[in-house]
């Protein structure tokens, strides 16, 4: 039986916030930088999404379906594609029609809801599932949480929602001596299969590919395939998980990233020992090597592979706690605009911008951060959140008045007024 290679790409674009000053609170409730969102989305569409989707489509057709790949596309990204680049939706639909592409389920807004509110988490997963069905005509069978965040408790939640295959990080502090190149069983959901990212091989492409200071630069397709096959000599599967923007945005076209991907894929397709599989195919094909216990949440971010990229300092935890404190109040309201803003304010990117790590992972955070400092990100976000909370409280106050109004009118009539 051929050994397996699973290619998974995350597609996400946040709704970036405009500069929102203290004096805007209570006066102007449009929170988003529409110009930046449109400009960035259009740029990445032309550099990454359109050409990379075409490359994959050509590979699938030329290989008669042997090329297989998997995507997770957030609802936030889908909304912006609709608004600014509908041709991107069309190109993903063409991939969906081949039957060689799997679409995963995740949180609609790319959030930390799994750590903040189970009802909100479940709502977003169902909302995202419905969106994938509407856009691409397929029902997601496998799940990946925001930033590959996973714990035993999260695994049990998604298993109870019907997802028996979950993608997460092959964190060394969880694996110990074990290899990420096997399927594992969930600790609280033994029938759930876990597919773990091979961080070293994934990051060779995602972060090191164009680094001329890297001892292995330049990375060629034949060299890389040799590394993958070396890992598979004794193991079952290599999971290559990365941001889709790696191709053309993070690694520029001039670096040769597109040619590398095309050559690597063609070599795998022609190889007698390895094959591409989707996560669901891998789950059917592989027997779990062991049970994996993950008591505390892990992720694919930073050296620690935990959630400190989003909740590692007091600024982040304060913003997180104040945001999710609104869930109960919002549950009393049927206000589409408020719920939509609540979803976008949950996007994990806003907390990521507040990260104060300045050592091994500082350069990575700076790459994705539109703010000069984490403190500017915090102040801007908290100004927006303060305005949002005012709107929620006002909406509840108005609702209370509306509920009370009929009762007061009846009482007045009884008194003969």
């Amino acid at each position: 039986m051929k050994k397996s290679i699973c290619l998974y790409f995350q597609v996400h674009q946040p709704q970036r916030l405009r500069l929102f000053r203290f004096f805007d609170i209570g006066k102007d409730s449009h929170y988003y930088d529409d110009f930046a969102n449109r400009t960035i989305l259009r740029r990445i569409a032309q550099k990454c999404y359109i050409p990379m989707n075409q490359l994959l489509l050509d590979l699938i057709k030329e290989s008669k379906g042997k090329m297989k790949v998997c995507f997770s596309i957030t609802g936030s990204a889908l909304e912006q594609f609709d608004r600014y680049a509908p041709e991107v939706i069309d190109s993903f639909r063409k991939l969906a029609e081949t039957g060689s592409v799997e679409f995963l389920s995740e949180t609609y807004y790319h959030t930390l809801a799994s750590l903040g509110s189970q009802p909100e988490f479940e709502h977003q997963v169902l909302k995202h599932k419905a969106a994938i069905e509407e856009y691409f005509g397929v029902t997601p069978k496998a799940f990946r949480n925001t930033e590959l965040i996973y714990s035993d408790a999260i695994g049990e939640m998604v298993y109870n929602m019907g997802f028996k295959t979950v993608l997460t990080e092959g964190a060394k502090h969880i694996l110990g001596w074990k290899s990420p190149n096997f399927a594992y069983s969930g600790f609280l959901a033994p029938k759930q299969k876990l597919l773990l990212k091979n961080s070293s091989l994934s990051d060779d492409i995602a972060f090191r590919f164009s680094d001329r200071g890297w001892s292995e630069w330049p990375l060629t397709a034949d060299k890389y395939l040799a590394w993958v096959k070396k890992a598979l000599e004794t193991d079952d599967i290599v999971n290559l998980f990365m941001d889709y923007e790696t191709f053309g945005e993070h690694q520029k076209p001039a670096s040769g990233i597109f040619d590398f991907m095309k050559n690597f894929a063609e070599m795998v397709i022609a190889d007698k020992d390895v094959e591409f599989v989707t996560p669901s195919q891998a789950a059917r094909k592989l027997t779990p090597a062991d049970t994996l216990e993950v008591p505390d949440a892990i992720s694919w971010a930073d050296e620690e592979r935990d959630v400190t990229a989003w909740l590692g300092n007091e600024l982040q935890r304060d913003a997180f706690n104040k945001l999710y404190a609104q869930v109960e109040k919002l549950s009393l309201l049927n206000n589409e605009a408020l719920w939509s803003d609540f979803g976008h304010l949950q996007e994990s990117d806003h907390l990521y911008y507040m990260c104060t790590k300045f050592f091994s992972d500082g350069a990575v955070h700076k790459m994705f951060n539109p703010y000069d400092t984490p403190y500017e990100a915090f102040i801007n976000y908290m100004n927006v959140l303060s305005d949002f909370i005012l709107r929620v409280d006002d909406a509840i106050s108005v609702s209370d008045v509306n509920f009370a109004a009929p009762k007061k009118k009846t009482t007045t009539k009884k008194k003969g007024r």
Side-chain angles (χ1 to χ4, degrees), residues 326 328-333 335 338 389-403:
Q326 307 310 308
E328 188 173 350
K329 290 188 288 185
L330 281 163
S331 67
L332 303 174
L333 300 170
N335 187 312
L338 285 174
I389 293 172
L390 279 178
R391 289 169 59 208
V392 172
D393 291 341
D394 287 346
I396 290 176
S397 176
V398 171
S399 296
D400 288 342
V401 170
N402 287 340
F403 287 133

Side-chain angles (χ1 to χ4, degrees), residues 262-319:
K262 182 176 185 293
N263 293 336
F264 172 67
E266 289 175 341
M267 287 180 180
V268 172
I269 292 165
D271 197 282
K272 68 181 188 303
D273 299 318
V274 294
E275 64 179 352
F276 287 119
V277 296
T278 65
S280 291
Q281 288 175 327
R284 291 192 296 269
K285 180 180 178 181
L286 303 177
T287 300
D290 201 351
T291 297
L292 198 66
E293 185 175 2
V294 188
D296 299 313
I298 59 174
S299 78
W300 70 357
D302 297 348
E303 290 293 326
E304 298 88 348
R305 299 297 197 259
D306 58 15
V307 295
T308 54
W310 306 276
L311 297 173
N313 63 46
E314 292 184 9
L315 302 178
Q316 294 168 311
R317 292 190 291 272
D318 184 37

Side-chain angles (χ1 to χ4, degrees), residues 138-413:
V138 295
T139 299
K141 302 297 184 184
F143 181 83
R144 69 88 69 182
N145 198 14
T146 304
E147 305 293 334
L148 294 187
I149 292 172
Y150 177 84
S151 68
D152 296 330
I154 294 170
E156 185 178 35
M157 276 195 290
V158 298
Y159 181 81
N160 291 335
M161 297 180 72
F163 296 103
K164 296 180 172 58
T165 304
V166 176
L167 281 62
T168 187
E169 172 65 34
K172 292 180 181 179
H173 67 280
I174 294 296
L175 284 169
W177 57 268
K178 299 184 183 76
S179 168
N181 304 327
F182 292 97
Y184 290 88
S185 295
F187 183 70
L188 297 180
K191 293 183 180 180
Q192 186 176 71
K193 291 185 179 179
L194 306 179
L195 300 177
L196 310 183
K197 172 189 169 187
N198 184 307
S199 298
S200 177
L201 287 170
S202 297
D203 292 351
D204 286 340
I205 299 175
F207 294 108
R208 291 183 281 272
F209 182 80
S210 59
D211 181 4
R212 291 173 177 258
W214 182 32
S215 61
E216 297 293 345
W217 186 90
L219 182 61
T220 60
D222 55 345
K223 181 198 295 187
Y224 188 72
L225 180 58
W227 293 351
V228 171
K229 293 183 71 173
K230 178 70 175 177
L232 289 171
E233 285 180 358
T234 56
D235 297 356
D236 291 341
I237 185 170
V238 166
N239 296 305
L240 303 174
F241 300 167
M242 62 198 79
D243 288 331
Y244 201 34
E245 294 80 14
T246 295
F247 302 93
E249 176 65 11
H250 304 160
Q251 306 295 340
K252 304 303 181 186
S255 70
I257 190 67
F258 290 103
D259 288 337
F260 166 83
M261 189 63 210
K262 182 176 185 293
N263 293 336
F264 172 67
E266 289 175 341
M267 287 180 180
V268 172
I269 292 165
D271 197 282
K272 68 181 188 303
D273 299 318
V274 294
E275 64 179 352
F276 287 119
V277 296
T278 65
S280 291
Q281 288 175 327
R284 291 192 296 269
K285 180 180 178 181
L286 303 177
T287 300
D290 201 351
T291 297
L292 198 66
E293 185 175 2
V294 188
D296 299 313
I298 59 174
S299 78
W300 70 357
D302 297 348
E303 290 293 326
E304 298 88 348
R305 299 297 197 259
D306 58 15
V307 295
T308 54
W310 306 276
L311 297 173
N313 63 46
E314 292 184 9
L315 302 178
Q316 294 168 311
R317 292 190 291 272
D318 184 37
F320 177 84
N321 291 332
K322 286 185 178 177
L323 176 67
Y324 281 99
Q326 307 310 308
V327 171
E328 188 173 350
K329 290 188 288 185
L330 281 163
S331 67
L332 303 174
L333 300 170
N334 183 24
N335 187 312
E336 186 176 345
L338 285 174
W339 277 107
S340 176
D341 285 338
F342 181 59
H344 288 300
L345 290 177
Q346 290 181 67
E347 289 170 347
S348 64
D349 310 74
H350 305 308
L351 294 172
Y352 191 81
Y353 300 150
M354 303 175 199
C355 187
T356 50
K357 293 182 179 182
F358 297 113
F359 298 100
S360 59
D361 301 306
V364 175
H365 284 266
K366 188 174 181 180
M367 181 191 306
F368 301 113
N369 198 337
Y371 298 94
D372 291 332
T373 70
Y375 308 101
E376 287 182 19
F378 173 75
I379 291 169
N380 199 64
Y381 182 82
M382 293 307 287
N383 285 342
V384 171
L385 184 56
S386 295
D387 183 87
F388 177 76
I389 293 172
L390 279 178
R391 289 169 59 208
V392 172
D393 291 341
D394 287 346
I396 290 176
S397 176
V398 171
S399 296
D400 288 342
V401 170
N402 287 340
F403 287 133
K407 185 175 180 181
K408 289 180 180 179
K409 186 175 182 181
T410 303
T411 303
T412 302
K413 284 185 177 180

